[in-house]
């Protein structure tokens, strides 16, 4: 059964249309997705009709720009069930996590305190915590995971390791595992430990409600959910955002400034110093509207179908090792073919006009844990088709034969 | 044009498909003399390639010689190709080498971007050695 009309969707993405004749197959959507015409038009329209600085100018375009920017914040807030004052526009998930690290976490970590994360994290949700532990004398602790890449935290570990902050992924960019974050958040709340959820690989696939999750921080990048690059979101719970000390100072984040003293603006503006990415944030809101128009339930079911097809195709490949949670519905597939270097396969797939990722996927601690130097990753999105999956399987079989 | 170079140009002119081109490159890698284990050091590792590439350069009797290896089949073939092109030349010949050579034989256009970057890094190391 079809939940989304992929042929109709493909026509809405100019990149896909432009590459129709060359039959390019784009399976690197976990890295970044293509943009629908609605987002491209939003960018063009902003610079054609609105372009003015926000929160400063009282002229017509300035007011319009501020209104559109704040409407975009409202759209994002509604998308994840937050209040607008809890939504901070950033340049991406990396920026969001670094903001939490530099404006909040480093002020609460002392000698001997623990920060808890996992070896499955993307480097962006790993390196900031490692740095804080090194500079503040804290200890970076790991959550263990089972053979299905599901993480398990116990109350005992949180107490014994003096955990003062937790940072985990919602969906892994390698294993596609959807973590039971709600359960872990509940445990963290019980012990009053603030917790950040990296939703970079979740936001375009799953319905997110931060109030229902009850996390303190949730973040994602705009470019992975059909929005422009250089856009991102940080949700920070109201009670936590009040404790943030801004690490970027400048225009737009003070209500009063004098030679003797300055008074910060209210949140979230105090965390958005300088001219923000106005156009990008408005276009990101239009990407969210595009997703909502398709319906996250439909996207989920459609991607589930694509995932099942891809699994069937990959099962036919000899000597394949999949690094994937068997329960996942997310169409991300990391794998190796025993005896063949992942880079050789990715290069020949590129010759066959199939774009996949190869390497450590910005997850070197996980690669070390799996005892591999990297892998291939095929990641699909709403505009990918069953025919493309079949073609991918055929090319992969041909390449494996060629290289062995 | 030296013998090794002519051989490569002649071979590449015959290829129509990616399979033929890659088969040739992989075969070059298979024929490459194994790199002395003592030379598989971090100092000889080219940083920036997605697969591991070791390239060792030395000068004997005013000629440059290169030795290398890679953990990936195609990259190893590229290492072998580079060695075939440059090993035995003097420093002036390397510095003045026609930079467009790899475009002319259609190698670069037939390789994915990152592979080209790996090729660029190898070339850069060889040219830097010759400029010393």
């Amino acid at each position: 059964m079809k939940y989304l009309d992929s042929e109709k969707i493909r026509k809405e993405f100019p990149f896909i249309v432009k590459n129709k004749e060359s039959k390019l197959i784009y399976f690197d959507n976990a890295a970044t997705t293509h943009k629908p015409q609605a987002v491209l038009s939003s960018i063009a329209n902003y610079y054609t009709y609105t372009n003015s600085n926000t929160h400063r100018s009282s002229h017509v375009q300035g007011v319009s720009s501020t209104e559109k920017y704040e409407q975009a914040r409202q759209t994002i807030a509604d998308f994840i069930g937050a209040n607008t004052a809890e939504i901070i526009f950033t340049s991406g998930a990396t920026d969001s996590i670094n903001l939490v690290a530099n404006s909040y976490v480093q002020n609460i970590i002392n000698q001997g305190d623990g920060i808890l994360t996992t070896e499955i994290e993307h480097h962006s949700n790993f390196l900031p915590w490692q740095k804080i532990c090194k500079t503040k004398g804290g200890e970076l602790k790991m959550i263990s995971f089972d053979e299905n890449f599901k993480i398990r935290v116990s109350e005992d570990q949180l107490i014994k390791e003096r955990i003062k902050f937790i940072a985990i992924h919602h969906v892994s960019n390698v294993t596609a595992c959807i973590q039971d974050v709600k359960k872990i958040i509940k445990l963290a709340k019980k012990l009053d430990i603030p917790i950040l959820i990296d939703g970079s690989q979740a936001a375009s696939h799953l319905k997110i409600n931060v109030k229902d999750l009850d996390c303190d921080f949730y973040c994602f990048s705009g470019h992975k959910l059909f929005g422009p690059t250089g856009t991102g979101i940080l949700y920070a719970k109201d009670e936590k955002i009040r404790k943030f000390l801004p690490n970027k100072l400048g225009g737009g984040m003070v209500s009063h400034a004098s030679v003797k003293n300055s008074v910060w603006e209210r949140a979230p503006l105090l965390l958005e110093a300088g001219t923000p990415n106005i156009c990008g944030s408005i276009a990101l809101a239009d990407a969210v509207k595009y997703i909502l128009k398709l319906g996250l339930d439909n996207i989920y079911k459609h991607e589930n179908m694509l995932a099942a097809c891809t699994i069937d195709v990959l099962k036919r490949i000899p000597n394949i090792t999949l690094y994937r949670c068997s329960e996942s519905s997310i169409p991300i597939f990391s794998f190796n073919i025993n005896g063949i270097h992942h880079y050789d396969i990715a290069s020949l797939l590129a010759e066959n006009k199939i774009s996949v990722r190869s390497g450590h996927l910005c997850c070197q601690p996980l690669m070390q844990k799996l005892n591999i130097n990297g892998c291939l990753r095929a990641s699909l999105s709403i505009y990918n088709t069953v025919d493309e999956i079949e073609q991918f399987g055929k090319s992969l079989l041909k390449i494996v034969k060629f290289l062995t | 044009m030296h013998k090794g170079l002519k051989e490569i140009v002649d071979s590449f002119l015959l290829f129509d498909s990616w399979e033929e081109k890659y088969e040739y490159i992989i075969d070059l890698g298979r024929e490459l003399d194994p790199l002395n284990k003592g030379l598989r050091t971090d100092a000889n590792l080219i940083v920036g390639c997605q697969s591991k590439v070791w390239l060792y350069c030395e000068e004997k009797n005013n000629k440059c010689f290169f030795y290398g290896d890679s953990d990936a089949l195609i990259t190893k073939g590229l290492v072998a190709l580079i060695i075939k092109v440059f090993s035995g030349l003097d420093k002036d010949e390397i510095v003045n080498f026609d930079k467009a050579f790899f475009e002319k034989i259609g190698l670069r256009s037939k390789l994915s971007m990152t592979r080209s970057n790996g090729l660029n890094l190898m070339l850069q190391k060889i040219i830097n050695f010759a400029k010393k």
Side-chain angles (χ1 to χ4, degrees):
Chain A
M1 186 184 165
K2 276 175 125 185
Y3 302 100
L4 291 177
D5 183 350
S6 50
E7 279 315 308
K8 184 171 173 276
I9 288 174
R10 288 174 79 78
K11 285 180 189 150
E12 290 169 344
F13 284 79
F15 180 92
I16 304 286
V17 173
K18 290 267 176 218
N19 286 287
K20 195 179 171 186
E21 268 180 36
S22 70
K23 294 189 174 148
L24 177 85
I25 297 176
Y26 183 79
F27 278 0
D28 196 16
N29 293 287
T32 197
T33 56
H34 290 298
K35 320 303 170 198
Q37 186 58 52
V39 169
L40 301 183
S41 299
S42 172
I43 294 168
N45 285 343
Y46 173 77
Y47 284 118
T48 308
Y49 301 109
T50 308
N51 186 40
S52 271
N53 217 325
T54 52
H55 306 112
R56 292 158 174 80
S57 315
S58 54
H59 52 73
V60 176
Q61 298 82 10
V63 172
S64 167
S65 193
T66 303
E67 273 174 13
K68 285 186 171 140
Y69 186 66
E70 291 307 322
Q71 275 164 12
R73 201 189 302 275
Q74 183 70 58
T75 302
I76 305 290
D78 293 344
F79 181 54
I80 60 168
N83 299 319
T84 50
E86 298 170 315
I87 297 294
I88 303 150
F89 284 119
T90 65
S91 68
T94 300
D95 191 29
S96 301
I97 295 169
N98 277 274
L99 177 59
V100 176
N102 297 326
S103 292
Y104 177 73
V105 180
Q106 74 160 353
N107 306 323
I108 61 166
I109 296 295
N110 296 306
Q111 186 82 26
D113 288 344
I115 295 181
L116 191 63
T117 185
T118 80
E119 283 148 312
I120 310 173
E121 300 312 311
H122 188 281
H123 290 164
S124 56
N125 196 26
F126 191 89
L127 302 179
W129 317 125
Q130 189 178 55
K131 184 184 169 202
I132 289 180
C133 285
K134 284 196 172 161
T135 53
K136 302 288 299 244
E139 286 191 40
L140 192 62
K141 299 289 185 182
M142 297 299 132
I143 304 174
S144 61
F145 55 91
D146 64 18
E147 66 289 346
N148 220 3
F149 304 101
K150 288 259 183 196
I151 59 176
R152 299 266 180 270
V153 195
S154 69
E155 192 172 338
D156 194 39
Q157 182 184 11
L158 298 181
I159 297 167
K160 213 154 72 187
E161 295 180 343
R162 286 181 55 186
I163 300 305
K164 293 288 184 293
F165 187 75
I166 303 171
I168 53 170
H169 60 284
H170 194 169
V171 173
S172 162
N173 72 313
V174 180
T175 70
C177 187
I178 306 170
Q179 301 296 348
D180 188 355
V181 287
K182 202 170 171 182
K183 197 170 153 191
I184 299 167
I185 293 163
K186 201 173 168 192
L187 190 60
K189 292 293 103 182
K190 190 177 168 193
L191 298 173
D192 202 22
I193 302 168
I195 180 164
L196 174 141
I197 308 296
D198 172 8
S200 301
Q201 298 295 342
S204 68
H205 305 287
L206 305 172
K207 259 186 193 165
I208 312 292
N209 187 306
V210 289
K211 294 293 175 212
D212 179 49
L213 289 175
D214 197 27
C215 55
D216 297 286
F217 308 102
Y218 196 97
C219 65
F220 55 90
S221 293
H223 70 95
K224 290 189 203 291
L225 65 153
F226 316 113
T229 52
T231 62
I233 294 299
L234 171 66
Y235 157 79
K237 198 183 262 186
D238 183 55
E239 62 182 74
K240 290 291 181 303
I241 211 169
R242 288 168 196 271
K243 293 177 183 163
F244 271 46
L245 298 175
N247 70 332
K248 268 198 292 187
L249 310 180
M253 54 79 68
V254 283
S255 58
H256 168 79
S258 69
V259 174
K260 282 190 177 170
N261 196 20
S262 303
V263 180
W264 306 142
E265 260 284 8
R266 67 191 190 284
L269 296 182
L270 89 158
L271 299 166
E272 293 178 1
T275 298
N277 186 353
I278 308 165
C279 171
S281 302
I282 293 169
L284 171 57
D286 284 319
V288 163
K289 285 178 192 163
Y290 179 77
I291 288 175
L292 294 171
K293 198 178 83 187
L294 295 178
L296 270 161
D297 282 337
N298 292 331
I299 290 175
Y300 181 85
K301 286 172 190 163
H302 181 74
E303 290 185 339
N304 215 346
M305 181 273 292
L306 291 177
C309 286
T310 313
I311 291 282
D312 279 348
V313 159
L314 290 177
K315 273 185 187 162
R316 290 182 227 146
I317 311 294
N319 298 318
I320 193 168
T321 305
L322 258 179
Y323 312 106
R324 178 174 162 85
C325 175
S326 59
E327 297 162 15
S328 180
S329 57
I330 309 285
I332 296 176
F333 306 86
S334 300
F335 62 96
N336 269 319
I337 313 280
N338 301 345
I340 308 178
H341 200 287
H342 48 86
Y343 195 31
D344 285 332
I345 297 173
S347 300
L348 296 188
L349 280 171
E351 294 299 338
N352 285 268
K353 300 198 184 312
I354 300 173
S355 303
V356 299
R357 175 86 181 268
S358 89
H360 51 63
L361 314 182
C362 295
C363 287
Q364 289 189 39
L366 179 61
M367 299 295 132
Q368 288 149 19
K369 191 92 176 167
L370 296 170
N371 203 20
I372 54 175
N373 62 9
C375 59
L376 290 142
R377 183 183 66 192
S379 52
L380 283 65
S381 188
I382 50 170
Y383 35 66
N384 290 126
T385 65
V386 174
D387 284 349
E388 287 182 317
I389 297 168
E390 289 292 340
Q391 186 53 47
F392 167 62
K394 277 183 203 160
S395 297
L396 198 53
L397 265 177
K398 191 167 86 174
I399 288 163
V400 169
K401 210 171 148 197
F402 180 78
L403 289 171
T404 43
Chain B
M1 193 185 283
H2 67 75
K3 196 178 149 229
L5 202 57
K6 191 171 181 321
E7 203 182 301
I8 293 166
V9 174
D10 290 346
S11 303
F12 266 78
L13 285 174
L14 295 172
F15 303 140
D16 291 323
S17 66
W18 66 265
E19 283 97 336
E20 287 172 316
K21 206 162 279 194
Y22 278 93
E23 211 163 86
Y24 175 74
I25 293 170
I26 290 168
D27 282 346
L28 282 181
R30 289 196 171 119
E31 289 161 12
L32 183 66
D33 290 335
L35 184 68
N36 186 330
K37 281 207 169 147
L39 294 176
R40 276 178 169 245
T41 59
D42 284 352
N44 292 328
L45 200 62
I46 297 186
V47 180
C49 296
Q50 276 194 35
S51 49
K52 282 190 173 170
V53 178
W54 295 270
L55 191 65
Y56 175 72
C57 320
E58 70 172 9
E59 194 180 4
K60 271 190 283 189
N61 303 323
N62 293 324
K63 300 278 184 195
C64 299
F65 294 92
F66 304 98
Y67 310 89
D69 200 357
S70 171
D71 60 347
L73 217 54
I74 297 167
T75 317
K76 187 173 177 173
L78 285 180
V79 174
L81 190 143
I82 292 265
I83 290 174
K84 219 172 164 74
V85 171
F86 291 102
S87 229
L89 300 184
D90 65 35
K91 288 190 167 181
D92 281 345
E93 286 173 312
I94 292 175
V95 173
N96 296 321
F97 187 81
D98 177 12
K99 306 275 187 305
F101 170 74
F102 295 100
E103 271 91 5
K104 279 181 192 163
I105 64 169
L107 178 67
R108 216 186 284 264
S109 63
K110 284 285 174 190
L111 297 172
S112 65
M113 258 326 272
T114 46
R115 182 78 62 195
S116 297
N117 290 340
L119 190 69
N120 286 343
L121 292 168
M122 289 185 232
L123 284 176
Q124 200 57 54
K125 180 162 180 177
I126 285 172
I127 288 164
N128 287 348
F129 178 75
K131 280 183 178 171
K132 271 184 198 165

